[in-house]
Amino acid sequence: MTHYDLAVIGTGSGNTIVDDSFSGWRVALFEEARFGGTCLNVGCIPTKMFVYPADLARSARHAPELGVDTAYDGVRWREVRDRIFGRIDPIEAGGRDYRRGQDGVDVFESHATFVDDHTLDTGQGQQVTADRVVIAAGSRVQVADIPGLDDVPFHTSDTVMRLEELPARMVVVGGGYVAAELSHVFSSLGTHVTQVQRGSRLLMAHDREISLAFTAAASQAWDVRLDRSPAEVARRGDGVVVTFSDGTEVEADVLLMATGRVPNSDRLGLEHTGVEVTDDGLVVVDEHQRTTVDGIFALGDVSSPHALKHVANHDAKIVKHNLLHPGDLRRNDLGPVPSAVFTSPQIASIGLTEEAAREQGVAHRVVRQDFADVAYGWAMESTPGEEFLKLVASEDGSTILGAHVIGPQASLLLQPLVQAMSLGTSPADLARGQYWIHPSLAEVVENAVLQLVV
């Protein structure tokens, strides 16, 4: 039985751990799918590369409102798709080839499962042992159970971006960030999108005001069906027909299931180990990213409630350090986690929502700044109430507890607030301790923060 110093399961952020610092270690690397994980191949990167042309297409339609005569004449879908994956696929292949040729690293292109705490079945008819194991197995698409779905062709975020043709009609099932981004992409490029959400609004995990504003904007851009769910799906000609719980029907060429993701912990044979898993499938880790078994670490989507690449990358840095320096462990103690939804309008968020503060009994105050009230907002003809920044702060205004943005470049506008919250910068110092470029869109942040200190 071959023995390794380290085994890493998954080549997303887990693949960033092993570098020259591990010279002299014998490493086993397991990957049953594409190198680079979800983000590179079917997640963050390709979706955002589709979002950019989608944003251009939508902007072309709206420019006449500003007196500029532009129009959207359609998309060369295959060119867009091939430009994106023409960059991504070589990166994936290059990463695989690099590891295959690396001294001291054995690549197993197969599914690994635990036999016991430090023994892995390689899926290739052999078992190996390892002193240390890193579980970086990520997550996978969760498809809702709908009557008839087994007999109907459907897509998920894993497959829909590689379609041969841009569909004329699409039904998107789901109300979360994946559904929001892909509904924007396809509707902007010319597909008639019908999005169905069982709840009363889209992006329900976000601040309520942000969620409501996005739901209103999305409803103007594509067909949004709320408070209902697919009751049945069936083939009809070359496409599908979706019957909703209210009895209405929609025909489509493509059915996209965007109903969430689940950790891959249930596919690893962890029941044969002492590794604990939560009820919702997350591998339990401590502040050092250690599991409940000595020598086994976990990182990323398989262990974090934040299914975000920047979180997984930070986890990997902690794991790398702690593998190399077991006597000087580093804690994973970053503050609140920021996130963004690259839809239209863009959304970004960090920290407490107003609703969470209220539910937790946190004394707080809320301020709000419309894009429409700053000069750059005037340039964009921003409409009051549609694009805004909302801050949740301590009652005395001395500490920012949460920030939520909806509007153009929301992810960039959030970053100075992420920095302030992470580094403990007071609203007074943030607002008055630096220049804010006039008349940039950053004045939205400046004016919001000033409301806390004036």
Side-chain angles (χ1 to χ4, degrees), residues 304-322:
S304 173
H306 307 288
L308 299 164
K309 181 62 171 175
H310 45 276
V311 171
N313 282 346
H314 182 70
D315 289 353
K317 292 174 184 176
I318 298 295
V319 171
K320 175 184 174 180
H321 174 89
N322 292 341

Side-chain angles (χ1 to χ4, degrees), residues 350-353 390-393 399-404 414 417 421:
I350 184 173
L352 285 179
T353 63
K390 180 177 180 179
L391 298 179
V392 181
T399 306
I400 298 172
L401 305 176
H404 312 277
L414 187 73
L417 297 163
M421 293 176 66

Side-chain angles (χ1 to χ4, degrees), residues 28-51:
L29 191 60
F30 292 88
E31 179 54 69
E32 62 176 314
R34 289 176 173 266
F35 265 57
T38 297
C39 176
L40 174 65
N41 295 288
V42 295
C44 331
I45 294 176
T47 53
K48 283 20 161 220
M49 291 181 75
F50 275 104
V51 163

Side-chain angles (χ1 to χ4, degrees), residues 66 370-382 438-439 441:
L66 305 179
D370 276 319
F371 284 35
D373 290 336
V374 303
Y376 205 93
W378 305 346
M380 297 186 300
E381 285 294 328
S382 182
H438 176 77
L441 197 54

Side-chain angles (χ1 to χ4, degrees), residues 420-438:
M421 293 176 66
S422 299
L423 300 181
T425 306
S426 71
D429 287 342
L430 177 62
R432 295 172 173 163
Q434 61 184 316
Y435 287 109
W436 292 84
I437 298 172
H438 176 77

Side-chain angles (χ1 to χ4, degrees), residues 12 85 124 130 153 155 208 233 249 253 281 333 337 352 362 412 417:
F85 290 107
Q124 298 179 356
H155 286 272
R208 181 178 176 83
V233 295
E249 291 184 352
D253 305 294
D333 54 4
V337 175
L352 285 179
V362 176
L412 292 178
L417 297 163

Side-chain angles (χ1 to χ4, degrees), residues 393-406:
S394 58
E395 200 167 31
D396 63 0
S398 65
T399 306
I400 298 172
L401 305 176
H404 312 277
V405 194
I406 181 169

